[in-house]
């Protein structure tokens, strides 16, 4: 898969939880996959705010590039998405 993902659009959803397990915030990002490193996938953010990375184990959920997605966080509508990834980020409770 690694050779076929470069130059493709990815949509990433990030859900940040608070200490009680509730949703603190949700963010959606998208952009063009630019490179891979050890256990990380990098993409150039479509909003022009540089490169962003997510953990990568060699697998991504495949999206229908003909579908239209509306981002909840911005209201932006995007098409041409090839891959989707979502992550839930838990707070580090050991550093309280």
């Amino acid at each position: 898969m690694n050779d076929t993902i470069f130059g493709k659009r990815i949509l990433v959803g990030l859900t940040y939880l608070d200490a009680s397990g509730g949703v603190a915030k949700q963010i959606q990002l998208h952009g063009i996959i630019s490179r891979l490193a050890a256990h990380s996938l990098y993409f150039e953010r479509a909003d022009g705010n540089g490169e962003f990375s997510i953990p990568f184990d060699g697998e991504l959920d495949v999206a229908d590039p003909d579908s239209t997605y509306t981002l909840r966080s911005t209201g932006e509508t995007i098409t041409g998405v090839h891959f989707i990834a979502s992550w839930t980020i838990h707070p580090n409770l050991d550093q309280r």
Side-chain angles (χ1 to χ4, degrees):
M1 169 184 256
N2 293 354
D3 293 338
T4 62
I5 66 173
F6 296 109
K8 303 289 184 173
R9 182 172 306 281
I10 187 168
L11 173 60
V12 176
L14 305 172
T15 299
Y16 292 85
L17 301 181
D18 60 25
S20 65
V23 174
K25 68 179 176 176
Q26 292 181 308
I27 299 171
Q28 294 170 302
L29 306 168
H30 66 98
I32 303 299
I33 298 171
S34 56
R35 65 186 176 103
L36 295 174
H39 307 290
S40 296
L41 177 146
Y42 292 82
F43 63 96
E44 290 294 328
R45 292 175 52 166
D47 63 8
N49 286 326
E51 192 173 58
F52 194 86
S53 68
I54 58 171
F56 183 63
D57 64 2
E59 298 293 326
L60 289 171
D61 291 331
V62 176
D64 178 357
D66 294 328
S67 292
T68 300
Y69 299 87
T70 301
L71 306 186
R72 279 183 250 136
S73 56
T74 64
E76 178 183 5
T77 300
I78 60 170
T79 58
V81 175
H82 297 92
F83 301 104
I84 297 174
S86 61
W87 296 94
T88 301
I89 297 98
H90 299 264
N92 185 350
L93 301 178
D94 293 335
Q95 295 184 359
R96 287 190 272 170

